Amino acid sequence: MLQDRAVDRVFHALADATRRDILRRVLVDPASVSTIAGRYEMSFAAVQKHVAVLEQAHLVVKERRGRQQIVHGDVEAVRRATRLLTAMEEQWRARVGRMSVVLAELDTGHGPEVAGVSGPHPPVPLPGADRPTGGTS
Amino acid sequence: MTVLSATPDTDALTLVVTADLAAPPARAWRLWADPRNLERWWGPPTWPATFDTYDLRVGGAAGYHMTGPDGSRAYGHWTFLGIDQPTRLEIEDSFADEHGVPGAGMPVTRMVVTLEPGGAGTLMTISSHFASAQALEQVVEMGMAEGMAQAVAQIDALLAEG
């Protein structure tokens, strides 16, 4: 499990469009900060700051090459961030799959019935076990 | 049934899932409005959900627990924020303590469910909004207690039966 602060840093880093753009580029094509800065209509210092935020979130790493610092995207870190939302997506795909099974049974009249009236319902304490599996509840 | 799309948004911390259900909205509504139906799909097969209380009205609450393979329980709490039968349901889903009370520091997810006529019968959209990256992480860790591959295999088996 990612530490909470680490997760916050990742999401904070990805919340900015420029930083996402920088990350997308250096994942494909590592580049020096000055090369990256040349692509944006902002100061070198501003771009350097964005790179620093990405670096603190461990989304990019800097590597010294001669006199230059080359910025690389950290593929593993990006995967960890997207894993969270992907897991949620999988959970919903599974739920929708189960829903269709329940719906199919409702279609054939084997599922439990629910009152077709709108309006407030009184609180109903429900048994935790020993519940009917068919017919009218 | 088809999941048409799932759109994660890491900026807004939302996940929007759309699905096509083979039943009209009035019937699809019963997936959400009847706790006996709900507990057949809410929890993964390895962590089935049991709804202990269910009070479907605005401001009303529902309490549930999910039981793991080792008998351990994870408690959850719903507050119904909006109800427009049979087309819209807004729920605040929180993890809770062993007394079913949502506690401070427990992750909260706001879900907006819409059921519209369309597709094979109903177009269902579920928008999940996470309060923070930490909430998202906790929801994933707690909800994904067991491997999804195993759960998906069981769903496929269920579908084959149906």
Side-chain angles (χ1 to χ4, degrees):
Chain A
M1 178 172 172
L2 286 169
Q3 293 301 304
D4 293 337
R5 275 192 298 172
V7 175
D8 284 341
R9 274 198 294 270
V10 167
F11 280 96
H12 169 68
L14 294 175
D16 181 88
T18 303
R19 287 197 289 269
R20 285 198 303 278
D21 196 57
I22 292 171
L23 180 60
R24 265 195 297 270
R25 288 170 186 272
V26 299
L27 276 167
V28 178
D29 189 15
S32 68
V33 178
S34 39
T35 304
I36 296 166
R39 294 171 183 148
Y40 299 96
E41 298 274 327
M42 60 179 79
S43 68
F44 179 84
V47 170
Q48 202 169 30
K49 204 171 168 184
H50 281 313
V51 170
V53 172
L54 288 168
E55 197 181 9
Q56 278 156 21
H58 301 289
L59 291 166
V60 302
V61 285
K62 277 185 190 160
E63 183 203 345
R64 179 161 290 283
R65 192 179 295 169
R67 295 173 60 190
Q68 285 195 313
Q69 296 260 40
I70 303 297
V71 182
H72 296 258
D74 185 339
V75 178
E76 281 310 308
V78 175
R79 281 193 186 135
R80 279 199 300 277
T82 55
R83 180 185 65 85
L84 298 175
L85 286 163
T86 305
M88 287 304 297
E89 179 185 330
E90 286 305 313
Q91 184 179 46
W92 276 109
R93 284 183 187 278
R95 281 176 177 164
V96 169
R98 294 194 291 272
M99 279 180 179
S100 69
V101 175
V102 177
L103 274 181
E105 293 193 8
L106 287 176
D107 281 346
T108 55
H110 294 309
E113 294 295 322
V114 66
V117 293
S118 55
H121 294 230
V124 184
L126 301 169
D130 191 33
R131 69 183 82 82
T133 53
T136 305
S137 61
Chain B
M1 168 283 306
T2 324
V3 172
L4 299 174
S5 68
T7 314
D9 184 336
T10 47
D11 293 359
L13 290 172
T14 62
L15 178 71
V16 180
V17 174
T18 60
D20 190 0
L21 297 172
R27 196 172 289 143
W29 177 258
R30 291 156 66 183
L31 289 167
W32 294 88
D34 184 322
R36 299 288 80 84
N37 289 335
L38 251 178
E39 57 195 15
R40 295 179 62 197
W41 65 263
W42 178 253
T46 46
W47 282 79
T50 303
F51 279 75
D52 303 302
T53 60
Y54 192 88
D55 178 14
L56 184 64
R57 56 181 165 177
V58 174
Y64 67 91
H65 64 269
M66 299 198 293
T67 309
D70 63 351
S72 63
R73 287 181 169 193
Y75 290 81
H77 183 272
W78 279 7
T79 301
F80 296 106
L81 302 177
I83 300 168
D84 190 359
Q85 184 179 337
T87 57
R88 190 176 181 280
L89 194 55
E90 189 173 341
I91 300 168
E92 187 179 77
D93 178 33
S94 325
F95 284 95
D97 65 15
E98 69 272 24
H99 308 293
V101 181
M106 301 295 253
V108 176
T109 310
R110 192 164 56 84
M111 291 186 296
V112 180
V113 184
T114 58
L115 303 165
E116 299 165 289
T122 299
L123 271 169
M124 177 174 68
T125 305
I126 301 149
S127 304
S128 302
H129 306 255
F130 305 95
S132 66
Q134 185 188 342
L136 173 58
E137 173 88 352
Q138 281 180 281
V139 168
V140 169
E141 293 295 333
M142 294 169 84
M144 301 286 110
E146 290 294 298
M148 283 311 301
Q150 188 189 350
V152 170
Q154 292 186 33
I155 291 147
D156 288 343
L158 275 172
L159 287 173
E161 284 172 24

